[in-house]
Amino acid sequence: MESRHPIDWSVLSGPYVSRRTLMKLAMGTGAAAFAASLQASPKASAASALQEPVTGGTLRLGFLNSQIVTLDPGLLAQGVVAGSILPSLHSSLVQFDTDLGIIPDLAEDWTVSEDGLSYSFTLREGITFHNGDAITSADFQYTFDRTTNPDFASPHANKLASVTDFQTPDERTVTLTLSDPFAPFLAVACTRGPGRALTPVSARAIEEMGDEQFGMTPVGSGPFMIVPETYDVGQGFDMVAFDGWYGGRPYLDTIEVRLVPEPSSAVSGLEAGDLDAIDPVPATSFEQLNSNSDLVVLQQPSTMWRGVVMNYARPPWDNPVARMAVSKAIDRQAFVDTAFFGLATPGIGAIAPAFGWAYVDPATVENPQGYNLDEAKALAEEAGIVGVQPVIISSEEIGQRPTEVLRTALTEIGLDPQVDFQQAATFNERWQSGDFDLFLHGSVVDADPDDGHWNIFHSTGPWNTYGYNSADADALLEATRATSDQAERARLFQELQVVLQTDVAAAFVYHVFDLFAHHADVQGVVGIPEQRYYEKVWLDR
């Protein structure tokens, strides 16, 4: 699709793309996803600005998850892990800075052609993987080939689908050619954390370990490296400072990642001093922790959305009347008040409020899925779903409380829902294989709306396991990738939102805030929504 207002894509060249440029070209990188609503922490910790950082010590991080399914960037589908853990283990070509500009990571500079079809990255000198192997352009070629190999089945392969030519003219140069300008390419394919399609992996490590073991004890190129013998799928693992990281040795010696799926246990551990930080903070404990003078709680916007998806392969959920009955049974404001104590906003689509350039205020538009209990009951009768016992699958990443709020809402229209709450690995296996009636699907740690839409709503999307297939939705999604005009992209996403609402591709429900808590003696925490960079963190003890 031709842009109505062609832009000079070369302004996205490095070694720095400012927040101002990203705001003008939000569709170009997606970083403006956060810029419109970035907020300061309610309790700032000033000590880090006044004191010299101290090297050494161990950060005990409570991560609210029962299992981390994989740490392989090419396979990782857990968004919270991609934002919270992956940036410590894996560097990528570029990254966001605290002002939400794009800055170098493994690439020290890059150029983008005026037509947006050519990207050329210049790698830093002397960069290595954790095993000591030098990182060269050949490692990016290996990563590209691996990610795009159909047999590998990476959920991120679609981000590289427009790459028609991949060249490595020398050891420090990576050059890509695209068939068409791909608006969010830098953000969704090249950034540290969210854009993991081209995050380099060690060929030697994979050949020695195999894909499965590599996913548990990866050899990356980030500021910390995993200690293989500490890895326990249900307990966590340790990460130690990588002396060979290009940015210099991190201040911390060790990060102990402790998996704490029970929110109350995580909160108690933080308050008792057994944990130094917890991620994410359960909304039910926000006020409790925020009122504790020994703690700092970060509250930031997020790119997250969730909505109820219903399995088209399992009647009656192939019936749009049944799906609309479910949607109209949900009072979104009451839902976020009850499930998240107001630390979320009601959702009418998959465009999160953080994407200010595309987001539509729910108060300004009509939502065909809007709450109307009388209509919901009538639709439930019409669809013949009164008395049906759908199984709602869930996990700690979604949370027990929102799942129970959903179950209660559905009982109001005569359903008898059953909740099957599972550990992360089982839950991921269930929804990825399409073995469910319904669940609160969604996306998080998105660098552009493309992340949270294509994967779930395109007919070929890797996370569209519930069978949604719409020629209109596919065409609109493909058009959002093809145009370089910000206003046009926004219009297309908004038109898509109406299609998804009408089809009840999902019963859209909420967008939660990004919440992170730590002890006041933990200094240097970087306030980038949904992303944790620990290399500058130090302990004031």
Side-chain angles (χ1 to χ4, degrees):
M1 176 181 294
E2 291 291 330
S3 170
R4 293 180 300 153
H5 305 288
I7 65 169
D8 177 1
W9 288 83
S10 65
V11 298
L12 297 176
S13 299
Y16 176 67
V17 184
S18 71
R19 176 175 174 174
R20 181 184 298 273
T21 299
L22 297 177
M23 285 296 290
K24 290 180 179 179
L25 305 176
M27 73 297 166
T29 67
F34 308 118
S37 54
L38 186 67
Q39 302 172 0
S41 166
K43 292 196 296 184
S45 189
S48 59
L50 302 175
Q51 297 175 235
E52 192 70 24
V54 175
T55 299
T58 296
L59 180 78
R60 297 160 301 172
L61 173 65
F63 190 62
L64 273 72
N65 217 309
S66 62
Q67 295 173 317
I68 293 178
V69 177
T70 183
L71 291 165
D72 185 333
L75 292 175
L76 183 60
Q78 290 175 284
V80 291
V81 177
S84 299
I85 306 298
L86 212 66
S88 292
L89 293 171
H90 298 276
S91 287
S92 197
L93 286 165
V94 296
Q95 61 187 322
F96 292 118
D97 70 359
T98 54
D99 291 324
L100 303 173
I102 293 286
I103 60 173
D105 195 11
L106 294 177
E108 67 180 12
D109 203 355
W110 64 95
T111 58
V112 182
S113 63
E114 290 186 12
D115 61 7
L117 299 182
S118 177
Y119 289 71
S120 183
F121 298 89
T122 301
L123 304 180
R124 297 177 186 271
E125 289 190 78
I127 50 178
T128 68
F129 287 113
H130 295 155
N131 61 5
D133 290 353
I135 300 174
T136 71
S137 59
D139 295 295
F140 286 91
Q141 178 75 65
Y142 173 82
T143 300
F144 172 79
D145 293 342
R146 181 177 186 253
T147 303
T148 57
N149 183 343
D151 293 334
F152 183 58
S154 170
H156 311 296
N158 70 85
K159 300 171 184 178
L160 303 175
S162 62
V163 177
T164 59
D165 189 47
F166 195 105
Q167 295 291 327
T168 55
D170 58 58
E171 288 191 344
R172 293 183 56 210
T173 304
V174 175
T175 301
L176 311 173
T177 302
L178 309 184
S179 57
D180 299 286
F182 177 19
F185 182 72
L186 272 177
V188 303
C190 305
T191 49
R192 175 182 169 198
R196 46 203 184 272
L198 282 176
T199 295
V201 293
S202 165
R204 180 166 73 90
I206 291 171
E207 289 165 0
E208 290 175 352
M209 296 185 200
D211 289 330
E212 184 176 356
Q213 183 63 39
F214 181 84
M216 293 185 283
T217 56
V219 173
S221 56
F224 292 87
M225 52 188 181
I226 198 166
V227 182
E229 58 269 23
T230 67
Y231 176 84
D232 186 304
V233 68
Q235 300 295 322
F237 50 85
D238 293 351
M239 299 186 291
V240 295
F242 176 41
D243 291 334
W245 191 57
Y246 73 82
R249 185 194 187 280
Y251 297 125
L252 294 169
D253 290 334
T254 306
I255 300 175
E256 293 179 357
V257 179
R258 301 181 181 177
L259 303 185
V260 190
E262 173 53 49
S264 62
S265 298
V267 170
S268 297
L270 183 66
E271 291 191 313
D274 296 327
L275 297 172
D276 298 307
I278 60 172
D279 189 18
V281 172
T284 53
S285 301
F286 174 81
E287 290 299 334
Q288 173 185 342
L289 297 178
N290 200 41
S291 63
N292 187 329
S293 60
D294 294 328
L295 305 176
V296 175
V297 183
L298 296 175
Q299 176 185 340
Q300 304 180 107
S302 82
T303 62
M304 181 267 202
W305 70 268
R306 282 207 187 274
V308 184
V309 295
M310 291 154 269
N311 195 337
Y312 284 44
R314 295 186 178 180
W317 310 118
D318 56 340
N319 182 351
V321 178
R323 300 196 302 272
M324 188 61 81
V326 166
S327 184
K328 286 185 172 291
I330 302 171
D331 183 336
R332 274 75 175 170
Q333 187 61 57
F335 194 106
V336 299
D337 290 342
T338 304
F340 302 107
F341 290 72
L343 293 168
T345 56
I348 63 168
I351 307 172
F355 294 102
W357 55 272
Y359 179 68
V360 177
D361 185 339
T364 65
V365 294
E366 182 179 350
N367 177 18
Q369 297 188 351
Y371 174 65
N372 187 313
L373 188 55
D374 290 338
E375 288 185 15
K377 289 179 178 178
L379 291 171
E381 289 281 358
E382 179 185 342
I385 61 174
V386 175
V388 167
Q389 295 182 314
V391 176
I392 305 171
I393 63 169
S394 187
S395 73
E396 69 279 347
E397 188 170 328
I398 295 171
Q400 188 77 50
R401 194 174 183 90
T403 305
E404 288 296 336
V405 174
L406 171 61
R407 187 194 65 79
T408 299
L410 298 187
T411 63
E412 293 294 313
I413 58 172
L415 275 66
D416 183 17
Q418 312 298 307
V419 172
D420 188 356
F421 201 82
Q422 306 153 347
Q423 289 190 316
T426 302
F427 171 74
N428 277 272
E429 183 180 340
R430 287 280 298 277
W431 75 258
Q432 289 179 4
S433 65
D435 182 14
F436 60 86
D437 291 328
L438 52 88
F439 77 102
L440 281 161
H441 206 346
S443 189
V444 67
V445 193
D446 292 341
D448 184 272
D450 182 86
D451 283 322
H453 284 79
W454 185 285
N455 287 345
I456 295 171
F457 300 117
H458 194 277
S459 59
T460 65
W463 301 329
N464 177 0
T465 60
Y466 60 103
Y468 179 62
N469 191 334
S470 164
D472 290 341
D474 282 2
L476 287 166
L477 279 165
E478 289 156 15
T480 65
R481 286 187 165 189
T483 181
S484 61
D485 182 83
Q486 176 181 354
E488 178 66 4
R489 282 196 88 211
R491 186 192 68 78
L492 289 166
F493 275 117
Q494 291 160 9
E495 185 177 338
L496 173 63
Q497 181 166 274
V498 175
V499 171
L500 300 177
Q501 290 170 339
T502 304
D503 290 348
V504 200
F508 299 103
V509 185
Y510 60 89
H511 310 278
V512 299
F513 300 154
D514 175 32
L515 304 174
F516 176 77
H518 60 84
H519 277 273
D521 61 4
V522 177
Q523 301 294 319
V525 175
V526 178
I528 301 178
E530 301 174 321
Q531 299 177 59
R532 317 293 182 225
Y533 291 178
Y534 288 107
E535 61 267 22
K536 297 301 182 184
V537 170
W538 56 281
L539 302 177
D540 181 21
R541 294 174 181 168

